[in-house]
Amino acid sequence: MKNIVITSLLSLGCLAAQAQNKAKTEDDYYRIITMPIPKTIQMEVGGMAVLPDGRLATSTRRGEVWMIGNPYMKGDGQPTFHRFASGLHEPLGLFYRGKDILLSQRGEVTRLVDTDNDGVADVYDSFARWPLSGNYHQYSYGPIPMPNGEMLVTLNLDWVGRGASQSKWRGWMLKLGEDGSLTPYATGLRSPAGFGSYKGDIFYTENQGDWVGSGRMTHLEKGDFAGNVAGLRWSSEPGSPVKLKPEDIPDTGEPLYDVAKKVPGIKPPAVWFPHTLMGISTSDFKEDTTAGAFGPFQGQLFVGDQGHSKIMRVDMEKVNGVYQGACFPFREGFESGIIRMVWGLDGSMFVGQTSRGWSATGKEDFGIQRLVWTGQMPFEMKSIHSMPDGFEVTFTSPVDKATASKSDSYKVNSFTYKYHHIYGSPIINANELAIKGISVSEDGLRARIVLDPASLRKGYIHEVKAEGVQSKDGLSLLHNFGYYTLNEIAGGAALTASQYTASTKPAMDHSTHTAAASGTKTAETNSAKRVTEMPASWTNGPDQVINIGTVPGLKFDVTEIQVKAGSRIRINLNNNDDMLHNLVITKPGTANAVGEAGLNLGLKGTEMNYVPKSDAVLFHTNIVEPEKSESIYFVAPKTPGTYQYLCTFPGHYTLMQGKLKVVK
Ligand SMILES: [Cu+2]
């Protein structure tokens, strides 16, 4: 008996030592708690609200409203589910007002009332209406209350191979009056699933698509145009506060910021979320109003990402009257696609999820999870601020001054996107900025990165990395990068050389760095693996033609193909989905490694079509836009075996794979 006790104590001691040495993960600071949902309920969350009595209300894409008791799973641990309403058309927003509930259906805002207090709505009142085209993509969101009591709704564009506004006010944000009146407020919206207030001002989040190079967050004022041209169809209608016409918008591929300088009325975003580097489909956002119950990020924003099943963090500031700021990774690993986030009464966060037809890295079709701060202080870059000569990074806890004052511990790159009618954009004009030196504050909570002011570019996204910085306690940063959108450069005094620790590196030759960042060399070395014209020697054509399509949910429509060793193959990749995909054929057993390498290409990813330079890659297509296709020609491997094909677009590879069987 004694022996057993001693052994257990020893092993406990070992475990404790191991835990200390183990690198910290997001889970050490923010824990995800999954709510069990009865098998009979398709809880595809569209809208979500926390009731004053602690219950959680949800509206689902299947048209139901649920009241969830004990969502915190206290006591016996089980939540209860009670259906409040049903038969609704995909309600993607829910506003609980005590006496009634307002929610959006496809074609209206509906007021639900439980007049006899039996827990089930008995009045379904059509509160405000708008016309519908019937297109599947006409999602309607809201209403969202503003602090001043006003309500907002947004109307998604149709999708017809491009964004379109086939019925009135699609692509707009509208104010909803207490009398059910709708007043157009701003347009240029494409897929505005997330909107609401931040410090009393109106913001909305946008998804990559046509006219939208990457996900972003825009401050909307009355009459603003945020970028997608389709909604301008209605700008001549009575009541429109927007003066721009579709023909006023140039389609040159110049950055949005530069176009906005020439065309008044265009509003560039406050924050860009670089595609795949942060997320791929921005959704809801919430300001941290928990007074510290959710950790050290009070007053900042949390922004959901549908496709990457993650939450990002945003810290904004106003410079010269213009909103701008940085986004950071925050917490990944949710079970489905994130569409809604609401604060629980205890300062934890309920995360409402669904992925049907929209794709997400989280494998479940839907779910509700709660995110709870463990009380441990994560070592993070808390914010990035613009400075006249660079940026100031603040940290959540004091840094180790030796690592934090070294220029080598940091890296700054800047880049932007094209503004054009095409879906998405590659990263353009990428450039590394030379760091002149670093100045760490006395308390160790701030570090100024001193740059040549002439190297700062307005309208550009500045990637600020602090990989080498350690905390006073020897921790590495939990996330060591952020992306700051620089619309305006802050005023104030630049640091003089005596005020910072100068970099020991010689000044960089910018031209070489620009070439490296463009990734053109790498693309060339890959070209033998991507033959898009039939080789002239194939006089009888290919031996076999294979059609592979894509379907929603990150899938190829064919997951197994068989070819003869050494035969001439043509593969047509038809992208029928509304996301970007490619097709990469790999050596046996290497698909996951290739997918992972594609994810880690960073800033070079888009220009390399997410195809890593690797011997494991045999053949590939480039990234194919929605509704487009690409054909490649190759000679099948001579060695029989099970090869694989996958999509290396970040976030897709774990799900989007197939087998290429090579036989004799
Ligand atoms: Cu894909």
Side-chain angles (χ1 to χ4, degrees):
M1 188 63 187
K2 240 181 199 168
N3 281 343
I4 295 170
V5 173
I6 290 166
T7 321
S8 338
L9 282 176
L10 275 175
S11 60
L12 274 177
C14 272
L15 282 176
Q18 276 171 9
Q20 261 175 13
N21 294 334
K22 217 183 81 189
K24 296 285 190 185
T25 67
E26 291 174 347
D27 191 52
D28 292 316
Y29 306 101
Y30 287 91
R31 205 141 286 162
I32 296 174
I33 300 166
T34 303
M35 182 185 290
I37 292 169
K39 290 232 165 3
T40 50
I41 303 175
Q42 303 289 307
M43 191 64 80
E44 297 178 343
V45 176
M48 199 158 63
V50 166
L51 277 47
D53 64 9
R55 283 181 298 164
L56 180 68
T58 61
S59 66
T60 73
R61 293 171 65 203
R62 302 290 179 120
E64 297 178 323
V65 175
W66 288 89
M67 297 293 174
I68 304 171
N70 193 20
Y72 303 89
M73 297 190 281
K74 292 176 182 154
D76 70 357
Q78 289 309 302
T80 60
F81 296 83
H82 182 77
R83 197 170 71 174
F84 181 75
S86 61
L88 301 161
H89 193 173
E90 199 162 32
L92 294 176
L94 181 149
F95 175 25
Y96 176 83
R97 306 203 294 178
K99 61 186 193 307
D100 59 14
I101 280 177
L102 293 180
L103 53 69
S104 56
Q105 299 195 65
R106 280 296 174 100
E108 65 171 44
V109 171
T110 309
R111 195 171 64 92
L112 301 176
V113 196
D114 172 15
T115 53
D116 57 4
N117 291 312
D118 66 348
V120 177
D122 34 59
V123 170
Y124 289 57
D125 171 34
S126 178
F127 188 78
R129 289 160 298 281
W130 49 80
L132 284 176
S133 69
N135 184 281
Y136 84 100
H137 213 251
Q138 283 204 335
Y139 307 115
S140 304
Y141 309 102
I144 301 273
M146 294 299 290
N148 64 5
E150 291 181 321
M151 294 183 287
L152 303 170
V153 295
T154 57
L155 303 183
N156 214 94
L157 289 179
D158 304 68
W159 181 255
V160 292
R162 62 187 160 78
S165 183
Q166 299 192 124
S167 59
K168 205 166 169 183
W169 306 125
R170 283 283 151 192
W172 287 70
M173 173 180 278
L174 307 156
K175 283 203 168 166
L176 172 64
E178 200 49 58
D179 57 353
S181 61
L182 290 165
T183 311
Y185 180 74
T187 190
L189 286 61
R190 197 189 89 82
S191 196
F195 57 103
S197 84
Y198 173 67
K199 296 194 193 297
D201 286 323
I202 297 173
F203 284 81
Y204 95 105
T205 59
E206 185 61 277
N207 274 234
Q208 189 198 49
D210 45 340
W211 299 102
V212 186
S214 186
R216 61 197 185 198
M217 174 166 230
T218 305
H219 172 214
L220 286 182
E221 294 167 287
K222 191 177 181 183
D224 274 344
F225 168 71
N228 187 292
V229 174
L232 290 179
R233 176 175 174 195
W234 311 109
S235 63
S236 309
E237 293 287 312
S240 164
V242 177
K243 299 287 162 265
L244 289 167
K245 305 277 171 286
E247 57 273 21
D248 296 333
I249 309 302
D251 187 13
T252 54
E254 276 178 281
L256 179 57
Y257 180 91
D258 297 346
V259 176
K261 286 283 168 227
K262 296 178 209 165
V263 184
I266 300 183
K267 191 67 161 289
V271 176
W272 286 98
F273 301 97
H275 199 67
T276 73
L277 303 170
M278 283 301 301
I280 56 170
S281 43
T282 327
S283 60
D284 207 5
F285 67 84
K286 279 288 172 296
E287 183 177 351
D288 186 341
T289 52
T290 66
F294 196 65
F297 305 114
Q298 208 178 328
Q300 300 194 1
L301 289 163
F302 295 100
V303 183
D305 193 87
Q306 163 74 33
H308 274 184
S309 302
K310 73 196 270 194
I311 294 175
M312 308 173 287
R313 178 168 60 84
V314 164
D315 184 54
M316 280 193 283
E317 61 180 337
K318 238 180 182 177
V319 178
N320 301 334
V322 177
Y323 275 111
Q324 60 186 35
C327 57
F328 305 90
F330 177 64
R331 183 66 164 101
E332 59 181 15
F334 289 88
E335 61 181 337
S336 186
I338 296 175
I339 180 164
R340 296 288 163 237
M341 291 135 55
V342 292
W343 294 115
L345 298 180
D346 63 351
S348 62
M349 181 193 277
F350 286 103
V351 183
Q353 303 167 60
T354 169
S355 67
R356 176 171 50 88
W358 293 342
S359 309
T361 49
K363 288 185 176 62
E364 303 296 330
D365 288 336
F366 53 82
I368 298 174
Q369 291 177 305
R370 198 157 65 90
L371 190 60
V372 180
W373 181 41
T374 62
Q376 300 284 310
M377 180 63 69
F379 179 48
E380 292 268 45
M381 296 165 76
K382 188 173 181 180
S383 61
I384 302 173
H385 296 291
S386 170
M387 290 286 142
D389 51 357
F391 296 97
E392 181 177 74
V393 180
T394 69
F395 299 92
T396 52
S397 46
V399 294
D400 155 53
K401 287 189 182 167
T403 53
S405 54
K406 260 195 228 155
S407 294
D408 280 358
S409 294
Y410 306 84
K411 251 195 175 138
V412 182
N413 288 290
S414 67
F415 60 93
T416 187
Y417 295 104
K418 291 182 178 184
Y419 176 52
H420 56 192
H421 76 279
I422 294 167
Y423 196 100
S425 163
I427 281 170
I428 59 165
N429 307 342
N431 205 352
E432 185 174 345
L433 284 73
I435 295 173
K436 288 167 72 178
I438 305 293
S439 169
V440 178
S441 66
E442 201 51 51
D443 59 8
L445 288 171
R446 290 172 291 134
R448 261 177 90 157
I449 304 174
V450 183
L451 307 164
D452 177 358
S455 67
L456 293 168
R457 292 184 288 178
K458 281 204 210 175
Y460 277 68
I461 301 152
H462 289 70
E463 178 189 63
V464 178
K465 286 191 168 177
E467 270 173 300
V469 175
Q470 294 203 333
S471 75
K472 222 169 140 186
D473 307 326
L475 287 175
S476 294
L477 283 159
L478 186 59
H479 304 96
N480 57 30
F481 61 92
Y483 293 96
Y484 187 97
T485 298
L486 186 70
N487 290 322
E488 292 287 324
I489 297 169
L495 293 185
T496 58
S498 64
Q499 292 175 296
Y500 59 82
T501 311
S503 168
T504 49
K505 261 201 258 177
M508 278 188 314
D509 174 357
H510 276 278
S511 58
T512 55
H513 280 274
T514 310
S518 80
T520 43
K521 281 178 199 153
T522 333
E524 276 163 27
T525 54
N526 271 333
S527 64
K529 300 177 177 181
R530 175 176 168 265
V531 176
T532 55
E533 303 268 319
M534 189 171 75
S537 59
W538 293 19
T539 45
N540 295 328
D543 299 321
Q544 190 177 346
V545 177
I546 298 159
N547 286 298
I548 300 180
T550 59
V551 286
L554 302 177
K555 288 185 188 98
F556 292 113
D557 62 1
V558 179
T559 53
E560 192 167 319
I561 48 184
Q562 187 167 308
V563 299
K564 261 187 100 171
S567 64
R568 294 167 169 177
I569 307 295
R570 170 181 169 166
I571 286 185
N572 306 319
L573 174 64
N574 305 307
N575 189 7
N576 318 312
D577 192 15
D578 61 4
M579 301 178 81
L580 302 168
H581 300 290
N582 66 10
L583 184 141
V584 178
I585 298 171
T586 64
K587 286 184 178 167
T590 63
N592 286 331
V594 168
E596 179 99 34
L599 187 67
N600 292 331
L601 286 174
L603 285 184
K604 289 183 287 183
T606 50
E607 294 207 17
M608 292 179 67
N609 286 278
Y610 300 102
V611 180
K613 208 164 70 171
S614 160
D615 290 343
V617 173
L618 298 176
F619 315 104
H620 70 91
T621 71
N622 274 351
I623 289 289
V624 179
E625 287 176 25
E627 319 271 325
K628 298 266 162 64
S629 59
E630 180 169 306
S631 301
I632 52 167
Y633 299 82
F634 62 90
V635 175
K638 292 203 168 57
T639 315
T642 301
Y643 295 70
Q644 289 149 299
Y645 56 93
L646 73 153
C647 171
T648 57
F649 190 88
H652 295 193
Y653 77 91
T654 51
L655 296 168
M656 210 161 170
Q657 297 193 10
K659 286 176 186 163
L660 171 71
K661 292 202 163 166
V662 177
V663 297
K664 284 217 165 153

